[in-house]
Amino acid sequence: MELLKGIDVANAINEKLIKESADMGGRVPKLAIIRVGERPDDMSYERGATKKMEKVGFACESFVFPETIENEAFQKEFDTINDNPEIDGILLLRPLPKHLDEEAVVGRISPEKDLDGISPVNLAKVFAGDKTGFAPCTAEAVVEMLDFAGIDVTGKRVTVVGRSLVIGKPVSMLLLKKNATVTICHTKTKDMKEECRRADILVAAAGVAKMITAEYVGKGAVVIDVGINVDNNGKLCGDVDTDGISSLASVATPVPGGVGSVTTSVLAKHLLQAAKENR
Amino acid sequence: MELLKGIDVANAINEKLIKESADMGGRVPKLAIIRVGERPDDMSYERGATKKMEKVGFACESFVFPETIENEAFQKEFDTINDNPEIDGILLLRPLPKHLDEEAVVGRISPEKDLDGISPVNLAKVFAGDKTGFAPCTAEAVVEMLDFAGIDVTGKRVTVVGRSLVIGKPVSMLLLKKNATVTICHTKTKDMKEECRRADILVAAAGVAKMITAEYVGKGAVVIDVGINVDNNGKLCGDVDTDGISSLASVATPVPGGVGSVTTSVLAKHLLQAAKENR
C-alpha cells in the first residue's frame, strides 16, 4: 500500500499559487478569518490557515469575537467584514455559538468571498456541477489528492461514507462531475461493508474513529480518509484503520498528514481565485 | 409485476389539495405559466398544468411570448410577473430560446414562487435536504409514487440512471434524505447493467428509449420510469422496456400514464404551499 501524504499535494498547490499570484500587480490577496469564542478546533484550523497564507505570500487577518457577543452586534460586524473591498475572501469558523443566527450569515455572505462554499449560490453551483463556484475546501481537497496521485475516477465506482453538506454530499458531486459512479452511504445503509468493499475508491467521511477496517476494503482500492477523530488513547486518528487495511488497499491517505493538510491549500487557491475576480 | 399508475397517485394528491385549500378564505392560489415560442413539448405540458389547476380549483394564467422577443423586453416582462403579488407561483417552460438569458431569469425568480425548483436557493435546499424549498416537480413526483405505493426506501439500494439537474440529481437527494443508499449512474458508468441489477429501486431518467431491459433489473425490483421518449414507431415510451421486465420487477410505472401524470399534481401542491406562504 502506498501512503499518499497531504504535504506533497499541498506543496504542489502552494508552488502553483505562488507562481500564479506573481501577476497580481503587487496586490496581495487577503483572507479574513472570523472566529467567535475559543474552541480548540477552530483555533487549530485558524493557525493552520494563517500559516498557509503566510507560506504562499497572502495576507490574513483574524477577526475574533467573544463567545458572549450578541447576535445583532455580530451580524453588524460580519457585514462590515463582508462589505470591505480590501478583503477578498472569508473563512467563517463554524458552528457559531447557538445564540447567533448562523443561517442569516450564510444567507448574506457574498458568494464571491465565500471561500468555503457555505452560501446557497455556491452550494447550488456544486450541486449543478458548475465550476465557477467555491466548493467546501475539504471536499475539494479529496479531489486534489486523487488528481495529484494521477487517479482517474472516470467510470470508477466511488463509495462515499457520510452525507454531510460539508463533505459527503459535495465530494459526491465533485466526483460525479468527474464522471465517477458515486454511491452515497450513511448510518441507515444496509450492508455498509459490501457497499464499501465493491468501491474502486472509498471516501470515508463518517466521523467515526477507525470504523473502516479490512472488512470494508476491496483488493486494490484507493482509500481517502477524511475523518478527524480522537481514539481511545487520546490520539488523533481518521475514520480508517490504516494499518488494518494495508494489505488490501493500493493507496491510502494518513490522518494526521492527509486530506487535512491539503484543505488550507485549497483555501489559498480559492482566495487567489476570489482576489483575481475582485480586482 | 404490479403496474403503478400515475393517475391513482395524482388523484390522491388532488383530493388532499382540494381539502387543504378549503381554508384559504376564498383566496384562490394562482399560477403563472411563462412560455416563449410554440414548442409542442411546452404546449403539451402547459395544457396538462392548466387542466390540473382547473381540476383542483386553482387559477392559472399563461403568459405567452413570441420566439422573436428580445432579451431585454423578455426580462422586463418576467420581472413584472415575478413581482406581481397576485401571482403565487411561476412555471417557466424551458429551455428558453438561446438568445434569451435564461441564467439571468433563474437567478432572479423569487425562490418562494419558484415552484419547479430552478433557483439557486431551492437547488441548495434540495442539496442540503432542507424541505422548506421547492424540489423540481418531476423529481418529487418519483417520491410521491413510492410513498403512495407504501414503499419505504430506508436503507434500500436505489440506483438512479441519469445525473441531470432536473431529475437525476434532485431525485437522488430526495431519496437520500429518506435514508436510501443512492448510486448515481450515467453514460460514463462502467457495467451499468450490474449497477442497475443490484438495485432494490431503480429510477430510470436517462432519456434513452427502452434502454432498461431485463438485463438491468434484479428480481423483485421496483422500477420507476421517468423517461419520455418516442420509439421507432413514433409512439410515446419511457426509458424502460416495461414488457421485457415484467417477469422480474415487482412494481413498475408505465409511460405514458406514470410519473408524468403526477408531476402537475406536485406542481399544484407546490402552488398551494406558495399561496399559503404568500397570504
Side-chain angles (χ1 to χ4, degrees):
Chain A
M1 184 181 79
E2 182 200 333
L3 213 56
L4 176 57
K5 286 189 187 150
I7 184 78
D8 300 328
V9 186
N11 283 341
I13 299 173
N14 300 350
E15 264 180 46
K16 218 175 139 199
L17 291 179
I18 291 168
K19 261 186 218 153
E20 280 179 12
S21 58
D23 68 345
M24 291 289 290
R27 194 191 181 296
V28 176
K30 182 169 179 184
L31 172 68
I33 301 179
I34 302 178
R35 170 163 59 86
V36 180
E38 316 270 323
R39 288 197 319 156
D41 282 7
D42 287 349
M43 293 170 78
S44 154
Y45 190 39
E46 182 186 352
R47 274 193 303 275
T50 305
K51 258 171 78 178
K52 184 60 60 80
M53 298 308 138
E54 262 173 36
K55 193 161 193 171
V56 296
F58 298 169
C60 178
E61 184 174 350
S62 282
F63 296 83
V64 177
F65 304 100
E67 212 185 325
T68 52
I69 189 170
E70 285 186 19
N71 184 49
E72 204 181 327
F74 177 71
Q75 301 290 340
K76 238 185 206 163
E77 295 280 3
F78 177 80
D79 284 340
T80 306
I81 301 165
N82 198 31
D83 295 342
N84 183 346
E86 305 280 299
I87 288 169
D88 297 301
I90 294 173
L91 175 67
L92 175 72
L93 297 171
R94 298 192 299 164
L96 294 173
K98 284 203 178 126
H99 69 282
L100 299 180
D101 187 349
E102 186 169 312
E103 209 182 315
V105 176
V106 165
R108 237 163 45 245
I109 189 170
S110 304
E112 56 275 11
K113 293 188 180 186
D114 169 31
L115 306 186
D116 206 20
I118 64 176
S119 76
V121 169
N122 283 315
L123 284 173
K125 284 184 173 179
V126 169
F127 189 38
D130 175 345
K131 291 184 168 179
T132 66
F134 293 119
C137 294
T138 304
E140 192 170 323
V142 172
V143 178
E144 290 282 355
M145 293 194 89
L146 292 168
D147 282 352
F148 179 85
I151 296 161
D152 181 9
V153 305
T154 302
K156 298 262 176 71
R157 282 181 185 154
V158 173
T159 298
V160 176
V161 182
R163 53 174 161 174
S164 77
L165 199 53
V166 179
I167 302 170
K169 285 179 182 178
V171 83
S172 298
M173 290 303 127
L174 296 177
L175 294 172
L176 183 64
K177 173 75 182 171
K178 290 176 86 76
N179 295 320
T181 300
V182 179
T183 299
I184 310 173
C185 296
H186 44 81
T187 47
K188 293 279 170 28
T189 293
K190 276 179 201 155
D191 205 351
M192 173 86 85
K193 285 176 190 169
E194 163 64 13
E195 296 296 338
C196 291
R197 217 158 33 209
R198 66 193 298 276
D200 299 312
I201 299 163
L202 179 60
V203 180
V208 180
K210 297 184 182 175
M211 73 163 274
I212 303 294
T213 55
E215 290 172 288
Y216 290 75
V217 176
K219 189 81 193 151
V222 173
V223 182
I224 309 289
D225 190 350
V226 192
I228 297 180
N229 315 291
V230 176
D231 71 9
N232 293 335
N233 306 318
K235 257 184 69 182
L236 206 66
C237 73
D239 287 358
V240 178
D241 172 17
T242 315
D243 292 338
I245 65 159
S246 62
S247 63
L248 289 164
S250 61
V251 177
T253 65
V255 174
V259 177
S261 341
V262 181
T263 298
T264 53
S265 287
V266 173
L267 183 70
K269 179 182 151 193
H270 286 181
L271 180 62
L272 178 58
Q273 192 180 325
K276 286 191 170 177
E277 296 285 330
N278 191 21
R279 269 199 305 196
Chain B
M1 184 182 80
E2 181 200 333
L3 212 56
L4 177 56
K5 287 189 185 149
I7 185 77
D8 299 329
V9 186
N11 282 343
I13 299 173
N14 300 349
E15 262 179 48
K16 218 175 139 197
L17 291 179
I18 291 168
K19 261 186 218 154
E20 280 180 14
S21 58
D23 68 345
M24 291 287 290
R27 195 191 180 296
V28 177
K30 182 170 178 183
L31 171 68
I33 301 178
I34 302 179
R35 168 163 59 85
V36 180
E38 315 271 323
R39 289 198 318 157
D41 281 9
D42 288 350
M43 293 170 76
S44 154
Y45 191 38
E46 182 186 350
R47 274 193 303 274
T50 305
K51 258 170 79 178
K52 184 63 56 84
M53 298 310 138
E54 262 174 36
K55 193 160 191 169
V56 296
F58 297 171
C60 179
E61 183 174 349
S62 282
F63 295 83
V64 178
F65 303 101
E67 212 186 325
T68 52
I69 189 170
E70 285 187 18
N71 184 49
E72 205 183 324
F74 177 71
Q75 301 290 340
K76 238 187 207 161
E77 295 281 3
F78 176 80
D79 283 341
T80 306
I81 301 165
N82 197 31
D83 295 342
N84 182 346
E86 304 281 300
I87 289 170
D88 298 300
I90 294 173
L91 174 68
L92 175 71
L93 297 171
R94 297 194 299 165
L96 293 174
K98 283 199 177 130
H99 69 282
L100 299 180
D101 188 348
E102 187 170 312
E103 210 180 313
V105 175
V106 165
R108 238 165 43 248
I109 189 169
S110 305
E112 56 277 10
K113 293 188 179 188
D114 170 32
L115 305 187
D116 205 21
I118 64 176
S119 77
V121 169
N122 283 314
L123 284 173
K125 284 185 172 178
V126 170
F127 190 37
D130 175 345
K131 290 185 170 180
T132 66
F134 293 118
C137 295
T138 304
E140 192 170 323
V142 171
V143 179
E144 289 283 354
M145 292 194 89
L146 292 168
D147 282 352
F148 179 84
I151 297 162
D152 180 9
V153 305
T154 302
K156 297 263 176 73
R157 281 181 185 154
V158 173
T159 298
V160 176
V161 182
R163 54 173 160 175
S164 77
L165 198 55
V166 179
I167 303 171
K169 286 179 182 176
V171 82
S172 297
M173 290 303 126
L174 296 177
L175 294 172
L176 183 65
K177 174 75 182 170
K178 290 177 86 78
N179 295 321
T181 300
V182 179
T183 299
I184 309 175
C185 295
H186 43 80
T187 48
K188 293 280 169 28
T189 293
K190 276 178 201 153
D191 205 352
M192 173 85 85
K193 285 175 190 169
E194 164 63 14
E195 296 297 338
C196 290
R197 218 159 32 211
R198 66 193 298 277
D200 298 313
I201 298 163
L202 178 60
V203 179
V208 180
K210 297 184 182 175
M211 74 163 276
I212 303 296
T213 55
E215 290 173 287
Y216 290 76
V217 176
K219 190 77 195 153
V222 173
V223 182
I224 309 288
D225 190 350
V226 192
I228 298 182
N229 314 290
V230 175
D231 71 9
N232 292 335
N233 306 317
K235 257 183 71 181
L236 206 67
C237 73
D239 287 358
V240 178
D241 173 16
T242 314
D243 291 339
I245 65 158
S246 62
S247 63
L248 290 163
S250 62
V251 176
T253 65
V255 174
V259 177
S261 342
V262 180
T263 298
T264 52
S265 286
V266 173
L267 182 71
K269 179 182 151 192
H270 287 181
L271 179 62
L272 179 59
Q273 192 180 325
K276 285 190 171 178
E277 295 287 329
N278 191 21
R279 268 200 304 198

mmCIF file of all heavy atoms in Angstrom, chain A residues 113-143:
data_model
loop_
_atom_site.group_PDB
_atom_site.id
_atom_site.type_symbol
_atom_site.label_atom_id
_atom_site.label_comp_id
_atom_site.label_asym_id
_atom_site.label_seq_id
_atom_site.Cartn_x
_atom_site.Cartn_y
_atom_site.Cartn_z
ATOM 1 N N LYS A 113 -16.914 35.881 -2.073
ATOM 2 C CA LYS A 113 -15.932 35.855 -0.976
ATOM 3 C C LYS A 113 -16.051 34.580 -0.139
ATOM 4 O O LYS A 113 -15.297 34.369 0.809
ATOM 5 C CB LYS A 113 -16.166 37.058 -0.036
ATOM 6 C CG LYS A 113 -15.877 38.405 -0.675
ATOM 7 C CD LYS A 113 -15.930 39.539 0.348
ATOM 8 C CE LYS A 113 -15.626 40.859 -0.337
ATOM 9 N NZ LYS A 113 -15.513 41.970 0.622
ATOM 10 N N ASP A 114 -17.008 33.758 -0.510
ATOM 11 C CA ASP A 114 -17.394 32.606 0.302
ATOM 12 C C ASP A 114 -16.486 31.411 -0.021
ATOM 13 O O ASP A 114 -16.871 30.439 -0.652
ATOM 14 C CB ASP A 114 -18.863 32.304 -0.006
ATOM 15 C CG ASP A 114 -19.343 30.989 0.558
ATOM 16 O OD1 ASP A 114 -18.828 30.587 1.626
ATOM 17 O OD2 ASP A 114 -20.208 30.361 -0.075
ATOM 18 N N LEU A 115 -15.243 31.466 0.452
ATOM 19 C CA LEU A 115 -14.204 30.522 0.031
ATOM 20 C C LEU A 115 -14.475 29.072 0.425
ATOM 21 O O LEU A 115 -13.961 28.154 -0.199
ATOM 22 C CB LEU A 115 -12.845 30.935 0.618
ATOM 23 C CG LEU A 115 -12.374 32.366 0.346
ATOM 24 C CD1 LEU A 115 -10.966 32.543 0.879
ATOM 25 C CD2 LEU A 115 -12.437 32.712 -1.121
ATOM 26 N N ASP A 116 -15.286 28.875 1.466
ATOM 27 C CA ASP A 116 -15.534 27.506 1.912
ATOM 28 C C ASP A 116 -16.906 26.994 1.461
ATOM 29 O O ASP A 116 -17.406 25.992 1.974
ATOM 30 C CB ASP A 116 -15.402 27.420 3.434
ATOM 31 C CG ASP A 116 -15.020 26.006 3.894
ATOM 32 O OD1 ASP A 116 -14.493 25.227 3.067
ATOM 33 O OD2 ASP A 116 -15.261 25.688 5.070
ATOM 34 N N GLY A 117 -17.502 27.730 0.511
ATOM 35 C CA GLY A 117 -18.723 27.229 -0.131
ATOM 36 C C GLY A 117 -19.888 26.978 0.802
ATOM 37 O O GLY A 117 -20.502 25.915 0.762
ATOM 38 N N ILE A 118 -20.227 27.974 1.635
ATOM 39 C CA ILE A 118 -21.358 27.768 2.550
ATOM 40 C C ILE A 118 -22.637 28.463 2.073
ATOM 41 O O ILE A 118 -23.719 28.144 2.542
ATOM 42 C CB ILE A 118 -21.022 28.222 3.995
ATOM 43 C CG1 ILE A 118 -20.743 29.737 4.071
ATOM 44 C CG2 ILE A 118 -19.825 27.443 4.540
ATOM 45 C CD1 ILE A 118 -20.493 30.253 5.492
ATOM 46 N N SER A 119 -22.513 29.409 1.132
ATOM 47 C CA SER A 119 -23.698 30.155 0.680
ATOM 48 C C SER A 119 -24.524 29.316 -0.291
ATOM 49 O O SER A 119 -23.993 28.444 -0.976
ATOM 50 C CB SER A 119 -23.281 31.442 -0.014
ATOM 51 O OG SER A 119 -22.789 31.160 -1.314
ATOM 52 N N PRO A 120 -25.856 29.582 -0.343
ATOM 53 C CA PRO A 120 -26.724 28.832 -1.264
ATOM 54 C C PRO A 120 -26.233 28.900 -2.709
ATOM 55 O O PRO A 120 -26.306 27.900 -3.422
ATOM 56 C CB PRO A 120 -28.084 29.530 -1.129
ATOM 57 C CG PRO A 120 -28.047 30.203 0.188
ATOM 58 C CD PRO A 120 -26.611 30.562 0.451
ATOM 59 N N VAL A 121 -25.722 30.041 -3.125
ATOM 60 C CA VAL A 121 -25.262 30.176 -4.514
ATOM 61 C C VAL A 121 -24.142 29.184 -4.801
ATOM 62 O O VAL A 121 -24.152 28.493 -5.831
ATOM 63 C CB VAL A 121 -24.799 31.623 -4.804
ATOM 64 C CG1 VAL A 121 -24.065 31.706 -6.133
ATOM 65 C CG2 VAL A 121 -25.989 32.572 -4.788
ATOM 66 N N ASN A 122 -23.184 29.076 -3.895
ATOM 67 C CA ASN A 122 -22.088 28.139 -4.113
ATOM 68 C C ASN A 122 -22.530 26.681 -3.960
ATOM 69 O O ASN A 122 -22.088 25.810 -4.718
ATOM 70 C CB ASN A 122 -20.911 28.470 -3.191
ATOM 71 C CG ASN A 122 -20.131 29.664 -3.698
ATOM 72 O OD1 ASN A 122 -19.826 29.757 -4.891
ATOM 73 N ND2 ASN A 122 -19.839 30.616 -2.822
ATOM 74 N N LEU A 123 -23.401 26.420 -3.000
ATOM 75 C CA LEU A 123 -23.923 25.056 -2.855
ATOM 76 C C LEU A 123 -24.656 24.629 -4.127
ATOM 77 O O LEU A 123 -24.477 23.510 -4.618
ATOM 78 C CB LEU A 123 -24.881 24.971 -1.666
ATOM 79 C CG LEU A 123 -24.233 24.942 -0.287
ATOM 80 C CD1 LEU A 123 -25.293 25.030 0.798
ATOM 81 C CD2 LEU A 123 -23.420 23.657 -0.114
ATOM 82 N N ALA A 124 -25.472 25.551 -4.657
ATOM 83 C CA ALA A 124 -26.225 25.232 -5.877
ATOM 84 C C ALA A 124 -25.266 24.970 -7.037
ATOM 85 O O ALA A 124 -25.506 24.085 -7.853
ATOM 86 C CB ALA A 124 -27.188 26.360 -6.214
ATOM 87 N N LYS A 125 -24.175 25.725 -7.098
ATOM 88 C CA LYS A 125 -23.208 25.506 -8.177
ATOM 89 C C LYS A 125 -22.510 24.159 -8.043
ATOM 90 O O LYS A 125 -22.286 23.462 -9.037
ATOM 91 C CB LYS A 125 -22.187 26.645 -8.211
ATOM 92 C CG LYS A 125 -22.774 27.917 -8.826
ATOM 93 C CD LYS A 125 -21.730 29.020 -8.953
ATOM 94 C CE LYS A 125 -22.328 30.194 -9.743
ATOM 95 N NZ LYS A 125 -21.365 31.307 -9.882
ATOM 96 N N VAL A 126 -22.157 23.793 -6.837
ATOM 97 C CA VAL A 126 -21.534 22.482 -6.623
ATOM 98 C C VAL A 126 -22.525 21.380 -7.027
ATOM 99 O O VAL A 126 -22.168 20.419 -7.711
ATOM 100 C CB VAL A 126 -21.106 22.300 -5.151
ATOM 101 C CG1 VAL A 126 -20.707 20.856 -4.865
ATOM 102 C CG2 VAL A 126 -19.952 23.246 -4.824
ATOM 103 N N PHE A 127 -23.773 21.562 -6.644
ATOM 104 C CA PHE A 127 -24.827 20.592 -6.975
ATOM 105 C C PHE A 127 -24.990 20.498 -8.493
ATOM 106 O O PHE A 127 -25.138 19.416 -9.058
ATOM 107 C CB PHE A 127 -26.124 21.039 -6.296
ATOM 108 C CG PHE A 127 -27.250 20.053 -6.354
ATOM 109 C CD1 PHE A 127 -27.032 18.691 -6.224
ATOM 110 C CD2 PHE A 127 -28.557 20.496 -6.516
ATOM 111 C CE1 PHE A 127 -28.095 17.790 -6.264
ATOM 112 C CE2 PHE A 127 -29.625 19.608 -6.560
ATOM 113 C CZ PHE A 127 -29.386 18.257 -6.441
ATOM 114 N N ALA A 128 -24.931 21.662 -9.139
ATOM 115 C CA ALA A 128 -25.138 21.711 -10.594
ATOM 116 C C ALA A 128 -23.908 21.263 -11.374
ATOM 117 O O ALA A 128 -23.976 21.044 -12.578
ATOM 118 C CB ALA A 128 -25.542 23.127 -11.002
ATOM 119 N N GLY A 129 -22.748 21.168 -10.681
ATOM 120 C CA GLY A 129 -21.519 20.841 -11.394
ATOM 121 C C GLY A 129 -20.946 22.051 -12.119
ATOM 122 O O GLY A 129 -20.198 21.914 -13.080
ATOM 123 N N ASP A 130 -21.311 23.239 -11.655
ATOM 124 C CA ASP A 130 -20.827 24.493 -12.235
ATOM 125 C C ASP A 130 -19.546 24.893 -11.502
ATOM 126 O O ASP A 130 -19.571 25.228 -10.322
ATOM 127 C CB ASP A 130 -21.916 25.563 -12.067
ATOM 128 C CG ASP A 130 -21.482 26.939 -12.535
ATOM 129 O OD1 ASP A 130 -20.264 27.167 -12.728
ATOM 130 O OD2 ASP A 130 -22.363 27.794 -12.693
ATOM 131 N N LYS A 131 -18.431 24.866 -12.224
ATOM 132 C CA LYS A 131 -17.138 25.058 -11.575
ATOM 133 C C LYS A 131 -16.801 26.509 -11.255
ATOM 134 O O LYS A 131 -15.727 26.786 -10.730
ATOM 135 C CB LYS A 131 -16.037 24.458 -12.444
ATOM 136 C CG LYS A 131 -16.111 22.941 -12.490
ATOM 137 C CD LYS A 131 -14.955 22.362 -13.283
ATOM 138 C CE LYS A 131 -14.878 20.857 -13.087
ATOM 139 N NZ LYS A 131 -13.780 20.264 -13.855
ATOM 140 N N THR A 132 -17.695 27.438 -11.565
ATOM 141 C CA THR A 132 -17.396 28.837 -11.253
ATOM 142 C C THR A 132 -17.599 29.138 -9.768
ATOM 143 O O THR A 132 -17.216 30.198 -9.303
ATOM 144 C CB THR A 132 -18.259 29.806 -12.084
ATOM 145 O OG1 THR A 132 -19.635 29.648 -11.688
ATOM 146 C CG2 THR A 132 -18.119 29.554 -13.574
ATOM 147 N N GLY A 133 -18.195 28.211 -9.040
ATOM 148 C CA GLY A 133 -18.440 28.459 -7.617
ATOM 149 C C GLY A 133 -17.336 27.883 -6.741
ATOM 150 O O GLY A 133 -16.387 27.272 -7.232
ATOM 151 N N PHE A 134 -17.439 28.130 -5.443
ATOM 152 C CA PHE A 134 -16.494 27.563 -4.487
ATOM 153 C C PHE A 134 -17.112 26.345 -3.807
ATOM 154 O O PHE A 134 -18.175 26.434 -3.204
ATOM 155 C CB PHE A 134 -16.127 28.579 -3.412
ATOM 156 C CG PHE A 134 -15.337 29.747 -3.932
ATOM 157 C CD1 PHE A 134 -15.828 31.044 -3.838
ATOM 158 C CD2 PHE A 134 -14.102 29.554 -4.533
ATOM 159 C CE1 PHE A 134 -15.105 32.127 -4.323
ATOM 160 C CE2 PHE A 134 -13.363 30.626 -5.024
ATOM 161 C CZ PHE A 134 -13.869 31.913 -4.917
ATOM 162 N N ALA A 135 -16.420 25.217 -3.903
ATOM 163 C CA ALA A 135 -16.842 24.027 -3.168
ATOM 164 C C ALA A 135 -16.234 24.091 -1.775
ATOM 165 O O ALA A 135 -15.218 24.755 -1.562
ATOM 166 C CB ALA A 135 -16.364 22.778 -3.893
ATOM 167 N N PRO A 136 -16.823 23.396 -0.800
ATOM 168 C CA PRO A 136 -16.196 23.318 0.521
ATOM 169 C C PRO A 136 -14.748 22.807 0.364
ATOM 170 O O PRO A 136 -14.506 21.848 -0.374
ATOM 171 C CB PRO A 136 -17.075 22.310 1.261
ATOM 172 C CG PRO A 136 -18.422 22.442 0.619
ATOM 173 C CD PRO A 136 -18.132 22.712 -0.837
ATOM 174 N N CYS A 137 -13.809 23.466 1.048
ATOM 175 C CA CYS A 137 -12.377 23.195 0.822
ATOM 176 C C CYS A 137 -11.994 21.734 1.051
ATOM 177 O O CYS A 137 -11.196 21.173 0.297
ATOM 178 C CB CYS A 137 -11.538 24.106 1.711
ATOM 179 S SG CYS A 137 -11.708 25.846 1.267
ATOM 180 N N THR A 138 -12.540 21.120 2.099
ATOM 181 C CA THR A 138 -12.160 19.736 2.384
ATOM 182 C C THR A 138 -12.630 18.784 1.284
ATOM 183 O O THR A 138 -11.899 17.865 0.891
ATOM 184 C CB THR A 138 -12.711 19.296 3.754
ATOM 185 O OG1 THR A 138 -12.237 20.216 4.746
ATOM 186 C CG2 THR A 138 -12.240 17.904 4.114
ATOM 187 N N ALA A 139 -13.839 19.017 0.792
ATOM 188 C CA ALA A 139 -14.349 18.175 -0.295
ATOM 189 C C ALA A 139 -13.440 18.300 -1.518
ATOM 190 O O ALA A 139 -13.071 17.310 -2.152
ATOM 191 C CB ALA A 139 -15.783 18.575 -0.640
ATOM 192 N N GLU A 140 -13.050 19.531 -1.821
ATOM 193 C CA GLU A 140 -12.184 19.735 -2.988
ATOM 194 C C GLU A 140 -10.786 19.159 -2.741
ATOM 195 O O GLU A 140 -10.117 18.707 -3.676
ATOM 196 C CB GLU A 140 -12.104 21.229 -3.316
ATOM 197 C CG GLU A 140 -11.482 21.494 -4.673
ATOM 198 C CD GLU A 140 -11.629 22.953 -5.104
ATOM 199 O OE1 GLU A 140 -12.689 23.556 -4.820
ATOM 200 O OE2 GLU A 140 -10.689 23.493 -5.713
ATOM 201 N N ALA A 141 -10.357 19.162 -1.484
ATOM 202 C CA ALA A 141 -9.038 18.594 -1.147
ATOM 203 C C ALA A 141 -8.972 17.113 -1.514
ATOM 204 O O ALA A 141 -7.931 16.610 -1.949
ATOM 205 C CB ALA A 141 -8.734 18.812 0.331
ATOM 206 N N VAL A 142 -10.092 16.404 -1.350
ATOM 207 C CA VAL A 142 -10.144 14.988 -1.731
ATOM 208 C C VAL A 142 -9.852 14.840 -3.226
ATOM 209 O O VAL A 142 -9.059 13.994 -3.650
ATOM 210 C CB VAL A 142 -11.536 14.382 -1.391
ATOM 211 C CG1 VAL A 142 -11.678 12.985 -1.962
ATOM 212 C CG2 VAL A 142 -11.767 14.389 0.117
ATOM 213 N N VAL A 143 -10.482 15.696 -4.013
ATOM 214 C CA VAL A 143 -10.286 15.655 -5.468
ATOM 215 C C VAL A 143 -8.838 16.002 -5.822
ATOM 216 O O VAL A 143 -8.223 15.365 -6.680
ATOM 217 C CB VAL A 143 -11.267 16.621 -6.166
ATOM 218 C CG1 VAL A 143 -11.037 16.617 -7.676
ATOM 219 C CG2 VAL A 143 -12.709 16.239 -5.846
#
